[in-house]
């Protein structure tokens, strides 16, 4: 007999489909700043009368330091007072910069952005919304900017992370772009009323459970520590402390460093008690000086990916300063990830912080928020905190299933997700979903219910194809945003064995869709990529080549729509290990965006590649139809081999490329045009330098006409077309 899992009492009232509204979730007014307020990625927009101004690709910026290799008479300051030399370039470069950061986002969210902006000449600019810098952690958008002040608008969908940024990429644009403000809206549905449970006590228990206080709150600093001499490594008492401090050279350890300690509590003149870190002057070399002095707000529990936390605290300092925040593991100073609740700007007066933090995938296991007190200022500064509070969303726990019909427009209703119940005869949990008139063909199975984002973040996914067979058990794993496409629309019974982590599916009513057999296209593509840096001179000691001088494309049989879910598979190897980046194109050679299926790292042995590719917002022009592989990230000549291609829709109902022949594969060799791969011999024709046609590209790898103005690449050499 399998172990019975006890489900909590569940809300079962029917709420119906909820209307969605655009709700403002973030706004930045640049007139409230006197300099660039974000992380600098090599380019520093400047401030004039409260307007953030991008002076184009003719400049670069170098931080003012004693050992700066280049200097200039013109100096730009960021909002934090960091200074940069503005240096004119001999030829235009490529630039990007943040226009927003710390945007609160939710799993599978849809967002609309409005910005007041103008340019010296009309231009389309890529603006990416990102929740990380890895594969699949950014959504693209294209913004058309005119020459008069205008509020422009664009959207993003299928956002799969929290605390996003917006990065503008004017690239090689040489004109001026001016920004006044940015506002972000979320397409929100009305949520079930939320109960927030507060955590921070002397005994590690929730302060409030269903509205009833059950313990003393430690976060207000009015209650003395239960043991002020508690040691940092005392496992029994360590994590009952809600506030930790670290001061340079205090509480030294055997390794020559210094450890955190229960934060000091001091009384203000008005009798209020507060937590205080008496920061000492930071002297550690480099970025490490940021954590010479630190403060932590500690939680008595670990937070899972997808959970939402309400964070509240009061704060001030003896000097105005901005500090960064991080997420740490259970031990204060045990680093987990670099981002938490964004940068906090302290003043000499008390301020209050209130925000909801969604635990992103890379934040799972969060125990504390760390304040890097010397991130931007190495002076001795006192930092004061009070009224610390974590609140967690109280959710139904167990196993739940919600369904939709992608063909008939039936939407998910997560509030009324159906609970699994233990079936004695089947010795597992079962749930039945769908009915005549409301058949479903897709489900999501989650371990929590009560909030849409939390539901989507705690889903289960089978490893293998879903079949209409209650005896076909598939192992499952935890995976955020797992949408399970069923082999037909109907009424389904789902079996869940939580002990063995397996699930099975059975259609009770409806019609099974005959899923076609999709076989790999066996075309063996061999690409003799030529050395890309064959032209060198005094100004270009590393050569003038680009990563896209040699390219390969997989071309789908049709354009895609935004949000389509596809699966890309193939085998690959190379004669020399090489990193290959991928881009989104419409037809081969018509560039749309720099990020597609991530990097493909070739080795000398055959490897299997698989990527779940959700089609992002189209970039710049046309519709996405092909994936480009940049085969010249390394300078050397190299032989790349790929075979056994599958590109299909995630539901397995459509092959997006032919299963025989080579018409879906294109190749470009140094300086040439994209051409259909010649599978008559299985080897592409080697293009010799003296037969290279005169074809012109811009720095994005797009073919351009002779009327194009700006930096161009012809036969591997850069020119400026005026």
């Amino acid at each position: 007999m399998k172990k019975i899992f006890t489900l909590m009492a569940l809300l079962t009232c029917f709420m119906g489909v909820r209307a969605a509204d655009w709700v403002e979730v973030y706004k930045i007014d640049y007139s409230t700043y006197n300099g660039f307020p974000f992380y600098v990625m090599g380019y520093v927009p400047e401030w004039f009368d409260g307007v953030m101004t991008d002076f184009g690709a003719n400049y670069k910026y170098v931080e003012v330091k004693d050992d700066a290799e280049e200097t200039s008479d013109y100096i730009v300051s960021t909002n934090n007072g960091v200074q940069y030399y503005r240096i004119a370039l001999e030829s235009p470069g490529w630039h990007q910069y943040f226009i927003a950061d710390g945007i609160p986002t939710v799993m599978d969210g849809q967002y609309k952005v409005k910005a007041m902006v103008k340019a010296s000449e009309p231009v389309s600019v890529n603006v990416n919304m990102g929740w990380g810098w890895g594969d699949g952690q950014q959504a693209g958008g294209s913004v058309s900017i005119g020459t008069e002040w205008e509020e422009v608008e664009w959207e993003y969908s299928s956002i799969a992370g929290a605390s996003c940024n917006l990065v503008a990429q004017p690239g090689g644009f040489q004109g001026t772009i001016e920004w006044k403000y940015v506002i972000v809206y979320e397409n929100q549905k009305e949520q079930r009323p939320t109960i927030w449970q507060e955590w921070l006590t002397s005994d590690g228990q929730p302060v409030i459970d269903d509205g009833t206080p059950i313990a003393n709150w430690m976060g207000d600093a009015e209650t003395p520590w239960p043991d002020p001499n508690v040691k940092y490594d005392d496992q029994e008492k360590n994590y009952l402390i809600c506030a930790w401090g670290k001061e340079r050279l205090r509480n030294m350890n055997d390794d020559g460093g210094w450890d955190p300690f229960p934060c000091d509590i001091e009384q203000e003149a008005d009798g209020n008690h507060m937590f205080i870190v008496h920061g000492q002057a930071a002297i550690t070399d480099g970025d490490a000086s940021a954590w010479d002095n630190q403060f932590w707000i500690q939680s008595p529990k670990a937070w899972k990916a997808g959970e939402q936390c309400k964070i509240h605290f009061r704060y001030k300092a003896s000097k105005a300063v901005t500090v960064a925040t991080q997420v740490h593991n259970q031990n204060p100073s045990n680093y987990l990830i670099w981002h938490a609740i964004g940068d906090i700007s302290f003043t000499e007066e008390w301020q209050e912080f209130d925000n909801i933090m969604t635990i992103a995938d890379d934040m799972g296991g969060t125990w504390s928020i760390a304040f890097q007190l010397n991130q931007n200022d190495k002076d001795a500064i006192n930092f004061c905190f009070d009224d610390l509070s974590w609140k967690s969303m109280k959710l139904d726990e167990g196993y739940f299933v919600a369904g939709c019909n992608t063909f008939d427009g039936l939407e998910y209703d997560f509030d009324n997700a159906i609970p699994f119940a233990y079936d004695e005869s089947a010795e597992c949990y079962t749930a039945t979903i769908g009915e005549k008139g409301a058949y479903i063909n897709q489900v999501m199975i989650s371990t929590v219910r009560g909030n849409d984002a939390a539901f989507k973040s705690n889903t289960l996914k089978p490893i293998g194809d879903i079949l209409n067979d209650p005896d076909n058990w598939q192992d499952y794993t935890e995976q955020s945003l797992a949408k399970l496409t069923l082999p037909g629309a109907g009424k389904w019974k789902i079996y869940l064995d939580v002990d063995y982590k397996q699930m099975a599916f059975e259609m009770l009513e409806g019609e099974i869709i005959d899923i076609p057999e999709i076989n790999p296209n066996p075309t063996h593509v061999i690409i003799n990529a030529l050395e890309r840096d064959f032209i060198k001179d005094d100004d270009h000691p590393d050569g003038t080549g680009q990563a896209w001088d040699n390219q390969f494309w997989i071309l789908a049989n049709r354009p895609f729509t935004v949000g389509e879910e596809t699966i890309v598979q193939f085998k690959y190897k190379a004669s020399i290990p090489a990193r290959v980046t991928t881009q989104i194109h419409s037809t081969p050679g018509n560039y749309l965006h720099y990020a597609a299926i991530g990097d493909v790292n070739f080795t000398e042995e055959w490897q299997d590649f698989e990527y779940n590719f959700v089609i992002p917002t189209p970039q710049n022009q046309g519709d996405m139809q092909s994936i480009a592989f940049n085969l010249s990230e390394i300078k050397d000549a190299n032989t790349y081999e790929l075979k056994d291609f599958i590109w299909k829709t995630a539901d397995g109902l459509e092959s997006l490329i032919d299963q025989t022949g080579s018409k879906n594969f294109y190749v470009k060799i140094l300086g040439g045009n994209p051409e259909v791969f010649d599978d008559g011999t299985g080897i592409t024709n080697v293009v010799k330098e003296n037969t290279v046609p005169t074809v012109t590209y811009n720095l994005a790898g797009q073919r351009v006409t002779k009327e194009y103005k700006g930096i161009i690449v012809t036969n591997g050499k850069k020119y400026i077309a005026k």
Side-chain angles (χ1 to χ4, degrees), residues 486-500:
L486 305 173
K491 179 178 180 180
W492 286 87
K493 186 172 184 178
I494 305 173
Y495 302 85
L496 200 62
D497 186 331
V498 301
D499 292 327
Y500 292 92

Side-chain angles (χ1 to χ4, degrees), residues 62-99:
V62 176
E63 188 173 351
V64 175
K65 293 182 178 180
D66 292 338
D67 58 352
E69 294 184 1
E70 297 178 88
T71 63
S72 72
D73 294 333
Y74 195 93
I75 294 178
V76 175
S77 293
T78 68
N79 195 64
N80 293 330
V82 181
Q83 295 184 319
Y84 289 82
Y85 298 112
R86 184 217 280 173
I87 298 173
L89 297 172
E90 294 183 4
S91 60
W94 190 94
H95 67 299
Q96 64 179 350
Y97 49 87
F98 285 89
I99 60 172

Side-chain angles (χ1 to χ4, degrees), residues 354-418:
D354 279 289
N355 206 348
I356 295 177
M357 179 173 70
T358 300
I359 304 299
D361 287 346
D362 58 2
M363 297 167 65
T366 294
W367 280 78
S368 61
I369 295 175
F371 294 74
Q372 311 297 89
L373 301 182
N374 296 112
Q375 184 75 33
N376 296 300
D377 195 319
K378 291 180 168 47
D379 287 352
I381 304 172
N382 293 331
F383 291 88
C384 305
F385 298 84
D386 199 4
D387 295 345
L388 315 179
S389 172
W390 294 78
K391 293 182 181 179
S392 62
M393 185 179 293
K394 189 166 185 180
L395 301 170
D396 301 329
E397 297 185 9
Y399 294 95
F400 310 89
V401 59
C404 76
N405 191 308
T406 59
F407 299 113
D408 294 343
L410 179 66
E411 297 183 359
Y412 282 105
D413 180 9
F414 298 108
D415 278 347
N416 297 300
I418 295 170

Side-chain angles (χ1 to χ4, degrees), residues 118-122 146-147 173-178:
K118 73 172 182 176
S120 57
E121 59 184 278
T147 57
F173 180 64
Q174 299 177 48
T176 298
I177 303 175
E178 299 176 81

Side-chain angles (χ1 to χ4, degrees), residues 488-654:
K491 179 178 180 180
W492 286 87
K493 186 172 184 178
I494 305 173
Y495 302 85
L496 200 62
D497 186 331
V498 301
D499 292 327
Y500 292 92
K501 292 190 174 181
Q502 293 183 328
M503 61 175 66
F505 299 81
E506 179 183 12
M507 177 181 275
L508 304 179
E509 298 174 7
E511 182 178 353
I512 293 294
I513 298 174
D514 185 17
I515 298 179
E517 183 178 0
I518 297 179
N519 298 308
N521 182 312
T523 301
H524 188 172
V525 177
I526 302 177
I527 307 162
N528 296 319
L530 299 182
E531 182 181 2
R532 71 168 168 85
D533 63 336
F534 62 96
I535 299 176
K536 297 183 180 182
D537 54 36
D538 292 340
D539 295 329
H540 305 94
D542 294 326
T544 57
Q546 300 289 350
W548 48 84
D549 283 354
N550 299 281
Q551 283 181 298
F552 167 69
W553 289 265
I554 306 176
L555 174 67
N557 290 330
R558 63 168 176 81
F560 295 98
T561 58
V562 175
E564 276 197 82
E565 297 182 46
T566 73
I567 297 174
V568 182
Q569 297 172 318
F570 52 84
K571 296 181 184 296
Y572 63 106
K573 74 172 184 176
S575 57
I576 300 174
R579 167 180 167 264
V580 170
T581 56
T582 61
Q583 298 174 337
I584 293 173
H585 285 209
S586 52
T587 53
N590 290 313
Y591 170 88
L592 295 178
H593 192 249
Y594 73 91
I597 58 174
D599 294 351
V600 181
N601 295 303
F602 284 74
T603 67
E604 298 170 84
E605 303 295 330
W606 283 109
Q607 300 180 74
D608 292 307
F609 182 91
E610 181 172 346
Y611 190 90
N612 284 49
F613 185 31
V614 178
I615 308 304
T617 304
Q619 303 295 315
N620 296 334
Q621 57 180 333
D623 293 323
M624 185 268 173
Q625 191 172 349
S626 64
I627 300 170
F629 295 69
N630 296 324
L631 303 179
S632 294
E633 288 289 348
I634 66 169
K635 296 182 295 182
D636 300 327
N638 201 2
T639 299
Y640 297 91
E641 298 184 54
L642 304 96
K643 65 179 182 179
D644 294 347
F645 300 90
I646 291 177
W647 194 359
K648 63 182 179 180
T649 55
D651 58 14
L653 299 178
E654 180 186 1

